[in-house]
Amino acid sequence: MELTTHQETDVRQNIINAAREIFARYGFRKTTMDEIARAARKGKSSLYHYFKSKEEVFQAVVEQEAAEVKAEINRAVAAGRTPEEKFRAYVLTRMTALQRVANFFRAFKDEYLESYSFIEQLRESYNQYEIATITSILREGMAKKVFAVKDLELTAYTIFIAAKGLEYSWALESDRKKIETNIDCMLDILFYGLVRK
């Protein structure tokens, strides 16, 4: 019996969903196609109809998680009324989303994954997205005379690096209130600086 395009898409998504859980539990190295097939309730040969390799399954999983994180950040930033609110929404949503999407976070953190070209491309694409998001918030803040920014590109990049530097320790923190307090402290430094005016 031939599957329709819609059914094919559903089967592929089912495999991605099952693989997502297996990769999150065991990591990329320890996960096997047999485990993914069992979790998806498919024969291993059926898996190879949809994906050529474990790497290809992992790529689909990580790309889906990346799209989810971007959508969450976009919604949160759009809901902010002021540039300050948008920054807070950006940082908080970013950190809570990274806690939830284990495979995406691993794709950024685990050095052994760097040898896969799709991981490098995903990292580069996602980093550019984040810098563009920060730049957009800064630009709005400048237009509304809320932020005084001398070098837009450098400022956006510096904020991005600061957020990346804190993500590992924040990703390990389970207390959301503590994360929010830390984020507010970081944003106070960003918005008001250290030097008394």
Side-chain angles (χ1 to χ4, degrees):
M1 185 179 113
E2 270 311 294
L3 292 177
T4 66
T5 307
H6 181 69
Q7 289 170 319
E8 290 262 339
T9 304
D10 286 349
V11 171
R12 183 179 163 81
Q13 188 57 52
N14 179 45
I15 293 167
I16 292 170
N17 292 343
R20 187 172 173 168
E21 289 181 33
I22 300 296
F23 282 128
R25 189 177 310 144
Y26 301 114
F28 175 76
R29 276 188 181 151
K30 293 182 181 173
T31 296
T32 66
M33 287 295 265
D34 286 321
E35 289 166 326
I36 295 169
R38 269 195 304 279
R41 295 186 177 92
K42 294 279 170 211
K44 191 172 167 184
S45 60
S46 295
L47 243 60
Y48 285 107
H49 172 74
Y50 296 93
F51 299 96
K52 291 184 184 100
S53 63
K54 179 174 83 169
E55 290 79 10
E56 202 172 280
V57 180
F58 189 66
Q59 180 175 357
V61 166
V62 188
E63 285 174 352
Q64 181 173 303
E65 289 186 352
E68 288 174 15
V69 171
K70 286 179 183 179
E72 274 185 59
I73 289 173
N74 290 343
R75 280 192 302 274
V77 169
R81 292 179 315 244
T82 65
E84 297 97 328
E85 282 181 16
K86 288 177 191 281
F87 254 124
R88 187 174 195 281
Y90 157 71
V91 177
L92 185 59
T93 305
R94 177 186 192 282
M95 296 317 300
T96 53
L98 284 176
Q99 280 184 313
R100 202 184 62 260
V101 289
N103 300 301
F104 182 58
F105 184 64
R106 277 196 185 122
F108 276 80
K109 181 177 67 72
D110 292 350
E111 289 180 13
Y112 74 87
L113 289 170
E114 287 176 0
S115 60
Y116 297 102
S117 62
F118 74 87
I119 292 292
E120 199 48 50
Q121 290 167 356
L122 178 77
R123 287 176 180 176
E124 183 60 31
S125 167
Y126 186 77
N127 290 348
Q128 291 307 316
Y129 158 77
E130 285 218 23
I131 292 169
T133 301
I134 295 166
T135 301
S136 172
I137 297 169
L138 287 172
R139 202 172 266 127
E140 180 182 331
M142 291 165 65
K144 292 182 174 178
K145 308 265 189 266
V146 175
F147 301 144
V149 177
K150 291 178 184 166
D151 185 328
L152 185 61
E153 278 184 37
L154 182 60
T155 304
Y157 183 72
T158 303
I159 293 167
F160 165 71
I161 292 298
K164 278 202 86 54
L166 294 168
E167 72 189 15
Y168 184 70
S169 60
W170 285 354
L172 297 176
E173 179 58 60
S174 58
D175 183 353
R176 185 176 165 95
K177 195 75 187 144
K178 191 170 182 182
I179 292 171
E180 288 188 36
T181 302
N182 290 342
I183 287 170
D184 287 337
C185 181
M186 183 188 89
L187 292 176
D188 278 348
I189 294 167
L190 175 66
F191 296 151
Y192 310 113
L194 298 171
V195 178
R196 204 180 285 229
K197 306 278 190 281

